[in-house]
């Protein structure tokens, strides 16, 4: 029964959180407005309540003077949504953190000697490291988060389309695409890109697939002349849209992960 899957998942999820609560100091959580960190925070608060222990929940929010444009469909300030989770648990203390007084160049100088390579999300370091600094100063020894939850807890199921299409289960694939579309997870265009377009020759795919055509390197710090010389845009498009890609690992690390111009 579906209910048995839910019960089994909750049992495993509880244990995954419980076994990470052993500490001689405080426990904290990086709490966003998302399902993943919210689920971890809620579980940790419930488990800690039995012993009367507290959990601190840190949420990054915009600086007070922020007046930028927030793209449609995105959240500019996750604070109020995270606060709704924190309000459910008396033993959860909610702490808002903005990046006032911090500096991206200083954080780059700080992180590079630790990693010995450019960091994947330099802008996130500005507020992410600030959260870690404040938590450490408050005696926190365990920091929970919802990292990689998109591949587990809130996995969207898009890969199912490609798998069922490759197995020739086309009616099942259409049914999955319809359900994902109704849930707002994918569109007809995206479903086609994941399935039918995926078996076409690359030269044809990049001409007819609008998702591929829309990809560029406008956010990258790479020099335009070098990008043209190395045909970088086409390589990057292949990396993103060829799911059995054998392109060098350099493509993944340099162009996809380090997209904030850390160099």
């Amino acid at each position: 029964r579906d209910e048995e899957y839910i019960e089994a998942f909750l049992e495993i999820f509880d244990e995954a959180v419980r076994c990470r609560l052993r500490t001689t100091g405080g426990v904290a959580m990086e709490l966003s407005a998302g399902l993943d960190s919210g689920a971890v925070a809620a579980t940790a608060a419930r488990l800690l309540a039995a012993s009367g222990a507290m959990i601190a929940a840190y949420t990054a929010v915009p600086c007070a003077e922020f007046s930028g444009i927030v793209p449609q469909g995105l959240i500019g300030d996750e604070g109020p949504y995270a606060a709704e989770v924190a309000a459910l648990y008396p033993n959860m203390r909610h702490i808002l953190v903005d990046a006032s007084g911090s500096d991206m160049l200083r954080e780059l100088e700080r992180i590079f000697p630790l990693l010995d390579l450019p960091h994947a999300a330099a802008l996130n370091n500005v507020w992410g490291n600030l959260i870690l600094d404040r938590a450490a100063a408050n005696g926190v020894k365990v920091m929970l988060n919802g990292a990689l939850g998109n591949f587990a807890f809130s996995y969207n199921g898009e890969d199912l389309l490609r798998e069922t299409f490759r197995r020739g289960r086309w009616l099942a694939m259409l049914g999955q695409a319809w359900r994902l579309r109704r849930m707002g997870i994918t569109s007809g265009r995206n479903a086609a890109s994941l399935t039918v377009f995926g078996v076409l020759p690359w030269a044809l795919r990049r001409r007819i697939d609008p998702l591929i055509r829309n990809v560029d390197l406008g956010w990258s710090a790479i020099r335009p002349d070098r990008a043209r010389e190395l045909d970088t845009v086409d390589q990057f498009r292949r990396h993103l849209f060829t799911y059995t890609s054998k392109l060098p690992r350099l493509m993944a690390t340099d162009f996809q992960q380090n997209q904030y111009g850390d160099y």
Side-chain angles (χ1 to χ4, degrees):
R1 295 180 295 109
D2 288 346
E3 292 77 13
E4 291 173 320
Y5 282 103
I6 295 171
E7 292 168 4
F9 172 82
L10 290 176
E11 181 181 346
I12 295 170
F13 194 72
D14 276 7
E15 180 55 30
V17 176
R18 180 185 292 109
C19 72
R20 287 164 174 82
L21 297 178
R22 299 190 298 269
T23 179
T24 58
V27 177
M29 179 78 211
E30 293 178 343
L31 179 62
S32 72
L35 293 173
D36 309 311
S37 63
V40 177
T43 302
R46 174 170 52 82
L47 295 174
L48 289 170
S51 61
M54 296 288 296
I55 180 171
Y58 292 84
T59 302
V61 296
C63 298
E65 63 272 16
F66 174 77
S67 60
I69 297 173
V70 179
Q72 185 176 0
L74 299 183
I75 300 172
D77 184 357
E78 300 188 71
Y81 301 96
E84 292 185 18
V85 176
L88 297 173
Y89 300 93
N91 65 329
M92 187 180 297
R93 184 165 61 97
H94 194 209
I95 303 169
L96 301 178
V97 177
D98 68 48
S100 299
S102 192
D103 182 279
M104 187 179 78
L105 294 179
R106 186 177 68 220
E107 295 306 323
L108 283 175
E109 184 178 20
R110 178 183 179 187
I111 201 73
F112 190 87
L114 300 176
L115 300 180
D116 200 30
L117 81 167
H119 190 261
L123 294 177
N124 289 346
N125 278 340
V126 177
W127 53 264
N129 288 352
L130 192 59
I131 286 177
L132 298 178
D133 288 342
R134 292 193 181 179
N138 290 331
V140 170
K141 296 294 181 68
V142 167
M143 176 65 80
L144 304 173
N145 61 53
L148 300 183
N150 291 348
F151 302 100
F153 191 84
S154 59
Y155 167 65
N156 63 19
E158 281 188 349
D159 287 341
L160 293 173
L161 299 179
R162 187 165 60 251
E163 183 66 20
T164 51
F165 181 81
R166 285 178 174 174
R167 293 186 179 190
R169 299 175 56 204
W170 297 327
L171 287 178
M173 182 272 293
L174 290 172
Q176 291 166 354
W178 175 252
R179 286 191 292 272
L180 290 172
R181 187 174 183 273
R182 290 187 64 185
M183 294 168 65
I185 292 174
T186 191
S187 64
R189 177 185 299 176
N190 193 44
S193 180
L194 288 167
T195 55
V196 181
F197 290 171
V199 300
L200 300 176
W202 175 253
L204 180 59
R205 285 189 65 201
R206 66 183 180 183
R207 288 175 63 90
I208 66 175
D209 189 340
L211 295 179
I212 294 176
R213 292 201 308 271
N214 289 339
V215 172
D216 60 35
L217 290 175
W219 41 259
S220 173
I222 191 170
R223 283 170 37 183
D225 57 335
R226 292 292 288 168
R228 288 191 296 270
E229 180 183 341
L230 300 172
D231 201 14
T232 302
V233 173
D234 191 62
Q235 289 192 62
F236 185 54
R237 288 170 173 172
R238 278 178 177 262
H239 173 74
L240 291 180
F241 290 93
T242 305
Y243 301 101
T244 57
S245 173
K246 295 181 181 178
L247 292 174
R249 182 171 172 78
L250 181 67
M251 287 296 301
T253 55
D254 285 2
F255 295 135
Q256 185 182 30
Q257 300 300 325
N258 297 303
Q259 61 192 38
Y260 292 102
D262 311 54
Y263 294 108

